[in-house]
Amino acid sequence: MYRENWKSKLGFILAASGSAVGLGNLWKFPYESYSNGGSAFILLYLIAVAVTGLPIMMAEIFIGKSTNRNPIGAFKALHPSAWHFIGWLGILSGFIILSYYSVVGGWTLRYFFQTLTGAYLSMSDQGISGDFVSFLRNGQSQLFFHSFFMLGTIAIVIFGVRKGIELSGKIFMPILVILLLAMVFFSMQTPGFGKSMEFLFQPDFSKITAQSIIDAMGQSFFSLSLGMGAIITYGSYMQKNEPVIKDAITIVFFDTSIAILACLMIFPILFSYKIQPAESIGILFTTLPMIFLKMPAGIVIGPIFFLLVIFAAITSAVSLLEVVVAYFIDEKKWPRKKATLFLGIAIWMLGIPSALSNGGWNWLTKIQFIGNRNFFDTLDYIATNWMLPVGGIFIAIFTGWIVSVEIRDDSFARDHKMAYQFMIFLLKYITPGLVLLILLHGTGVI
Ligand code: TRP
């Protein structure tokens, strides 16, 4: 059966970057590093990216590229045994993550409309913060925007690999970078800039706890789209003779730079206008309208910027849906349209309780799951801090120890030999053990 592929090598890199760069960079990373004390957390994050993120990125591209199959089919093709359970774990993670990811994607839609209609023009900074809190309690409104976000995601995936995923990455990624740089430039002019630089770049290690180490590692998986087969799936649309290591480095570097830039954009505003840390998950959504009010042409730039946040989010959501869809297309022979609609709707339904968990369904709001988390936070916690790292451990072990060395060498042969040897060393001896250690440490086992 004909299987789609990327039109160009750049197409793959931009699509994979589109998957990686998303709400994880713009929304989650700033608030997680803010609530974990800034610089020390960022340092831990960078270590995680280098020691676990990069080798696993490479492993996933390799697994996809060498098989041209969805995650489950790929493991089956490389090793005839039970290893394809990693693919199943990945599909389950994709299902869970997209369900609540789309709810936050809906928030970005709402903020686009709010800034477009000038809703914040007459509001004080407190008013803008208060507006976020009341929106969070408004389950119906969140459900409404969640539905639209999911609809957009479905529409792109229906168009397929080249006309949907590749094209959206090619258009949205470059514009995002330019606007983000412009925003950082404006943030640098605010009075809190100096203080935010200290916060960002002078590590205070007393802030580090076992939990923040887990968070930093989980975040590195989440932000790089690793541990569940999204990159395997995107890699599977590559041509056989394309290099792996350079692409992996490019994507990882790009994603990490965007995360740091997002902090450079947001923290100066936080330090300039004293926003309550309690609203941490609202950091992105409250700081931006504030700076738009203060910068020249903010009325125009505001909605444009939120539009780009939507695009960043949607190119990531697309990759989550594509993992699940690719399985049904490859293995169950479903047509793309049927698979996308059916699975998209199922994921939308799973997202409903997340949309309503801060208000809307009062009984659900009252239930607390693991460690005082509501439904939404619990899904994020389980998927990001557990399912992705566990998936990552197995992907590393599989690539380091299980897969045939010939296939692996063949896939990398044209690539940088030294870097390849080093990556395999990490995958074999360092990455899986380190991730496991951090997980066990976080649970208090060791
Ligand atoms: N990386 C995306 C972000 O930072 C989210 C995402 C897309 C993702 N695909 C994924 C996370 C696969 C984990 C696994 O917003």
Side-chain angles (χ1 to χ4, degrees):
M1 197 173 88
Y2 170 74
R3 200 166 184 277
E4 288 186 276
N5 54 28
W6 306 114
K7 201 159 146 197
S8 66
K9 189 170 123 61
L10 186 68
F12 162 73
I13 291 183
L14 287 175
S17 302
S19 166
V21 172
L23 296 169
N25 309 60
L26 303 174
W27 165 68
K28 229 173 160 203
F29 186 68
Y31 89 70
E32 289 216 316
S33 45
Y34 186 76
S35 48
N36 279 301
S39 50
F41 180 85
I42 293 176
L43 200 67
L44 285 179
Y45 177 80
L46 293 177
I47 296 172
V49 165
V51 182
T52 59
L54 186 61
I56 295 176
M57 173 70 70
M58 202 196 71
E60 287 205 25
I61 299 178
F62 151 70
I63 292 170
K65 190 191 83 158
S66 58
T67 56
N68 293 132
R69 278 282 165 281
N70 66 90
I72 293 174
F75 284 105
K76 277 189 185 159
L78 286 171
H79 202 266
S81 68
W83 282 92
H84 63 270
F85 78 89
I86 310 174
W88 281 109
L89 182 71
I91 288 192
L92 185 65
S93 313
F95 225 87
I96 294 177
I97 295 176
L98 183 52
S99 75
Y100 68 83
Y101 197 88
S102 167
V103 173
V104 185
W107 300 357
T108 64
L109 276 181
R110 182 209 185 231
Y111 273 82
F112 166 69
F113 286 113
Q114 290 282 91
T115 44
L116 188 71
T117 55
Y120 297 120
L121 288 181
S122 56
M123 276 192 205
S124 63
D125 289 350
Q126 279 75 15
I128 293 175
S129 305
D131 171 72
F132 177 76
V133 176
S134 55
F135 171 60
L136 211 56
R137 302 233 168 86
N138 186 345
Q140 282 76 5
S141 179
Q142 289 194 62
L143 187 56
F144 176 79
F145 288 108
H146 159 58
S147 309
F148 273 95
F149 186 83
M150 206 56 219
L151 214 62
T153 308
I154 291 173
I156 295 180
V157 175
I158 281 189
F159 272 103
V161 174
R162 283 193 182 185
K163 288 204 210 94
I165 303 173
E166 183 168 355
L167 191 64
S168 55
K170 272 184 178 161
I171 299 174
F172 298 150
M173 280 302 113
I175 313 178
L176 177 74
V177 174
I178 294 169
L179 264 174
L180 193 57
L181 287 174
M183 295 295 300
V184 171
F185 179 76
F186 280 110
S187 279
M188 286 165 74
Q189 324 292 319
T190 60
F193 179 63
K195 239 172 128 190
S196 71
M197 293 306 276
E198 269 173 39
F199 182 70
L200 273 171
F201 298 112
Q202 286 182 4
D204 172 4
F205 289 102
S206 64
K207 298 268 170 56
I208 298 294
T209 60
Q211 187 59 45
S212 50
I213 299 176
I214 283 210
D215 285 349
M217 181 187 64
Q219 172 64 15
S220 74
F221 278 96
F222 187 90
S223 185
L224 294 167
S225 301
L226 295 176
M228 58 142 304
I231 302 295
I232 296 180
T233 308
Y234 277 17
S236 78
Y237 301 126
M238 284 170 100
Q239 316 282 3
K240 284 260 190 303
N241 55 2
E242 289 171 21
V244 173
I245 291 187
K246 241 169 107 186
D247 289 2
I249 293 176
T250 310
I251 298 161
V252 167
F253 180 79
F254 184 66
D255 184 74
T256 308
S257 312
I258 299 281
I260 303 283
L261 281 175
C263 290
L264 286 176
M265 164 177 82
I266 289 171
F267 289 162
I269 310 173
L270 278 180
F271 283 103
S272 303
Y273 307 111
K274 295 235 169 12
I275 295 163
Q276 295 303 314
E279 296 160 21
S280 56
I281 59 166
I283 279 184
L284 174 75
F285 299 99
T286 49
T287 51
L288 289 181
M290 290 180 199
I291 192 158
F292 294 143
L293 286 182
K294 291 164 186 96
M295 64 195 256
I299 315 170
V300 184
I301 296 178
I304 297 180
F305 190 79
F306 272 113
L307 196 62
L308 283 156
V309 182
I310 296 173
F311 292 153
I314 221 164
T315 50
S316 301
V318 158
S319 74
L320 288 159
L321 184 54
E322 180 66 19
V323 173
V324 190
V325 166
Y327 168 72
F328 279 83
I329 295 177
D330 286 351
E331 311 289 317
K332 303 281 169 215
K333 309 291 174 223
W334 283 20
R336 174 170 283 273
K337 203 166 159 189
K338 174 180 164 192
T340 311
L341 278 176
F342 182 81
L343 296 159
I345 291 172
I347 293 171
W348 170 76
M349 283 166 60
L350 182 63
I352 295 175
S354 288
L356 300 176
S357 65
N358 282 310
W361 279 349
N362 284 333
W363 59 271
L364 188 66
T365 315
K366 287 194 200 101
I367 303 178
Q368 293 194 331
F369 300 85
I370 311 167
N372 293 340
R373 291 176 177 84
N374 66 12
F375 185 82
F376 175 107
D377 295 333
T378 305
L379 289 191
D380 183 34
Y381 174 73
I382 294 175
T384 305
N385 286 2
W386 288 94
M387 296 177 79
L388 298 179
V390 167
I393 292 177
F394 284 117
I395 290 170
I397 295 177
F398 184 82
T399 312
W401 298 98
I402 308 293
V403 78
S404 127
V405 177
E406 274 154 45
I407 298 180
R408 199 179 65 200
D409 286 353
D410 184 45
S411 217
F412 290 96
R414 289 160 232 88
D415 252 341
H416 315 78
K417 281 249 160 55
M418 290 264 288
Y420 167 54
Q421 296 300 345
F422 182 61
M423 287 292 140
I424 296 299
F425 170 78
L426 288 178
L427 286 170
K428 273 185 150 165
Y429 302 105
I430 309 287
T431 312
L434 187 67
V435 176
L436 187 67
L437 201 72
I438 294 172
L439 288 181
L440 292 178
H441 186 54
T443 48
V445 177
I446 46 171

